[in-house]
């Protein structure tokens, strides 16, 4: 695989990743509160918005992933994401209504969310062309994303509480402008992958057919979905569990998220060494096992000290998963990195949608503690999938990720 490009500075690339992730993290956690308190809608309308936004995002990611593998200019694809993000935020400022949210805002945000898969594909192409350590650079990229999520939600909730919720979308427009500026500074020239050079068209057709029915890649996607599902389910249930059932202070969920993200960033940066020692699949199994331990323990806590311990375990497991899963998926890509990264991104979107829905169902029939505990079952499903599909593509797993 070869890419023709004027190579940007790797540190500017990491800044671009951080600002893009910050833009997403500034608004996504805020939307439920905005729908309930500002748009005066019922909780059911949050589910409707999430469903529409997820379906559009999944479709957009699949389309963009294919275009990346066909050699489209990544610079242009990122520009479309950034402009769509700014348009989405402006739409709510101009016409603040629920129907603006589920139409113009959701459609624009779906295009904006393709930036995640695009930047992950770009990072792989960039590390290959620059002769960088692929897993290590993937870990740095993922650490920038986690760092953004550690800062942005807390900042926006604080500003929203002080100045009103609409200030979050005004800030998002400014962040979008910064994202556009960093994009311009970082990617001054077109950046695209070139189609592989094959001896004849029959080989190219065979490779394309393999990409469309790549069982090991789909098995890896299912494993990533289950592990992320546990995180999404717990993320939806744990704030309500902490405040309503064990009566911790209102700041407890924020404290838990901060501890988790701190450990997540630290662990991500140290994961490439672990990856080389035990391999991607075994590292994924380790992350899943720690997830089972984490959510089993989290469901039993009753104090802030125990909450901090649970947050540290959660950050450790999710840090390993976040750093390793990208390289794990890419190892089965068979040259179609855009396709692999679109599947990875969509598994994250779908896990969020399913996790939120399952939390509501479980909590309705039982309680929030049970919903937190059930997150460990999703991690168990991830372990089963990883073990059951261990021999599906052993040759690919022996190659550098």
């Amino acid at each position: 695989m070869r890419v023709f490009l004027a190579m940007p500075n790797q540190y500017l690339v990491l800044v671009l990743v951080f600002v893009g992730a910050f833009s997403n993290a500034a608004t996504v956690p805020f939307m439920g509160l905005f729908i309930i308190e500002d748009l005066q809608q019922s909780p059911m309308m949050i589910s409707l918005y999430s469903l529409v936004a997820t379906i559009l995002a999944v479709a957009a990611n699949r389309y963009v992933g294919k275009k990346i593998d066909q050699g489209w200019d990544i610079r242009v694809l990122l520009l479309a994401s950034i402009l769509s993000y700014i348009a989405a935020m402006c739409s709510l400022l101009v016409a603040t209504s629920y129907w603006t949210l589920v139409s113009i805002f959701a459609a624009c945000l779906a295009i904006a969310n393709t930036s995640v898969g695009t930047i992950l594909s770009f990072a792989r192409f960039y590390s290959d062309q620059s002769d960088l350590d692929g897993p290590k650079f993937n870990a740095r990229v993922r650490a920038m994303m986690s760092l953004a999520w550690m800062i942005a939600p807390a900042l926006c909730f604080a500003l929203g509480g002080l100045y009103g919720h609409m200030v979050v979308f005004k800030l998002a427009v400014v962040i979008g402008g910064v994202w556009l500026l960093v994009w311009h500074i970082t990617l001054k020239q077109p950046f695209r992958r070139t189609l592989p050079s094959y001896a004849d068209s029959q080989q190219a057709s065979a490779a394309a057919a393999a990409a469309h029915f790549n069982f090991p890649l789909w098995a890896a996607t299912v494993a990533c979905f289950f592990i992320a599902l546990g995180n999404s389910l717990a993320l939806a249930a744990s704030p309500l569990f902490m405040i309503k059932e064990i009566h911790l202070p209102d700041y407890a969920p924020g404290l838990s998220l901060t501890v988790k993200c701190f450990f997540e960033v630290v662990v991500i940066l140290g994961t490439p060494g672990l990856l080389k020692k035990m391999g991607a699949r075994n590292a994924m199994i380790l992350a899943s096992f720690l997830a089972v331990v984490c959510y089993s323990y989290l469901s039993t806590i009753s104090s802030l000290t125990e909450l901090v311990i649970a947050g540290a375990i959660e950050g450790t497991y999710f840090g390993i998963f976040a750093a390793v899963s990208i390289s794990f998926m890419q190892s089965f890509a068979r040259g179609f990195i855009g396709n692999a990264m679109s599947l990875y991104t969509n598994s994250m979107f779908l896990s969020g949608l399913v996790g939120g829905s399952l939390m509501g169902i479980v909590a309705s029939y039982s309680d929030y503690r049970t919903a937190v505990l059930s997150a460990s079952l999703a991690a168990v499903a991830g372990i089963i999938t990883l073990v059951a599909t261990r021999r599906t593509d052993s040759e690919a797993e022996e190659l550098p990720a």
Side-chain angles (χ1 to χ4, degrees):
M1 179 169 56
R2 300 294 296 172
V3 183
F4 298 122
L5 69 159
M7 298 302 291
N9 181 280
Q10 66 171 298
Y11 297 105
L12 284 177
V13 171
L14 293 176
V15 172
L16 180 65
V17 172
F18 174 80
V19 177
F22 194 99
S23 300
N24 188 47
T27 55
V28 170
F30 194 76
M31 296 312 298
L33 182 64
F34 174 72
I35 291 171
I36 296 294
E37 295 196 355
D38 291 75
L39 300 182
Q40 299 293 304
Q41 300 294 321
S42 67
M44 183 63 68
M45 292 310 217
I46 299 177
S47 299
L48 175 60
Y49 163 74
S50 298
L51 179 62
V52 172
T54 301
I55 290 174
L56 292 175
V58 166
N61 271 293
R62 291 295 290 156
Y63 178 81
V64 170
K66 290 179 181 179
K67 296 308 175 185
I68 290 173
D69 286 331
Q70 291 172 7
W72 279 36
D73 185 2
I74 287 178
R75 185 176 188 268
V76 172
L77 292 173
L78 275 177
L79 176 60
S81 296
I82 297 169
L83 294 179
S84 295
Y85 178 83
I86 296 173
M89 301 306 129
C90 288
S91 69
L92 276 184
L93 293 175
V94 172
T96 307
S97 74
Y98 181 78
W99 300 112
T100 300
L101 186 75
V102 295
S103 56
I104 300 173
F105 182 89
C108 289
L109 200 64
I111 299 173
N113 283 334
T114 63
S115 64
V116 178
T118 300
I119 202 69
L120 291 176
S121 299
F122 165 67
R124 177 56 184 260
F125 299 151
Y126 177 83
S127 63
D128 285 348
Q129 185 68 12
S130 304
D131 295 322
L132 298 173
D133 184 320
K136 183 178 291 187
F137 192 70
N138 277 342
R140 290 175 179 173
V141 167
R142 196 58 184 80
M144 289 298 101
M145 291 181 173
S146 295
L147 184 61
W149 275 87
M150 185 168 67
I151 299 171
L155 174 64
C156 289
F157 274 108
L159 291 176
L162 289 173
Y163 303 109
H165 296 161
M166 293 307 296
V167 75
V168 173
F169 300 104
K170 294 177 182 177
L171 176 63
V173 174
V174 175
I175 296 170
V178 174
W179 192 8
L180 184 62
L181 177 62
V182 175
W183 164 87
H184 176 70
I185 295 172
T186 305
L187 296 176
K188 294 183 177 297
Q189 302 294 330
F191 191 117
R192 69 182 79 235
R193 69 153 293 177
T194 57
L195 296 177
S197 299
Y198 295 107
D200 53 52
S201 59
Q202 288 185 336
Q203 286 179 300
S205 299
H212 288 303
F213 188 71
N214 185 344
F215 177 76
L217 178 62
W218 279 96
T221 303
V222 171
C224 287
F225 168 79
F226 279 131
I227 300 172
L229 175 61
N231 177 72
S232 298
L233 183 54
L235 187 63
S238 58
L240 295 164
F241 165 62
M242 293 171 191
I243 294 173
K244 291 185 175 296
E245 292 186 359
I246 58 176
H247 307 295
L248 292 179
D250 289 348
Y251 62 79
L255 175 63
S256 176
L257 186 60
T258 299
V259 172
K260 174 197 171 186
C261 290
F262 173 78
F263 276 86
E264 188 177 320
V265 171
V266 172
V267 170
I268 284 173
L269 293 176
T271 299
L274 178 69
L275 186 60
K276 291 178 180 179
K277 288 183 179 179
M278 63 188 308
R281 186 177 293 272
N282 288 334
M284 291 276 284
I285 292 173
L286 173 62
S288 302
F289 175 76
L290 288 175
V292 175
V293 173
C294 170
Y295 297 128
S296 298
Y297 176 70
L298 181 60
S299 67
T300 67
I301 69 168
S302 58
S303 69
L304 287 175
T305 301
E306 292 172 327
L307 179 145
V308 170
I309 295 172
I313 301 172
E314 188 175 17
T316 301
Y317 107 73
F318 201 77
I320 296 172
F321 167 69
V324 174
S325 57
I326 297 172
S327 297
F328 183 63
M329 290 283 292
Q330 289 176 350
S331 68
F332 303 112
R334 298 177 181 173
F336 293 84
I337 297 294
N339 176 57
M341 290 299 90
S342 72
L343 286 174
Y344 174 80
T345 304
N346 283 343
S347 71
M348 300 299 106
F349 283 127
L350 288 173
S351 70
L353 177 64
V354 175
S357 301
L358 282 178
M359 187 280 290
I361 294 171
V362 174
S364 296
Y365 284 95
S366 182
D367 54 20
Y368 295 117
R369 184 190 299 273
T370 304
V372 171
L373 182 60
S374 65
S376 63
L377 297 178
V380 170
I383 295 174
I384 294 172
T385 304
L386 288 165
V387 172
T389 59
R390 183 184 290 276
R391 303 300 178 188
T392 55
D393 197 346
S394 57
E395 183 179 349
E397 293 194 54
E398 291 172 0
L399 297 174

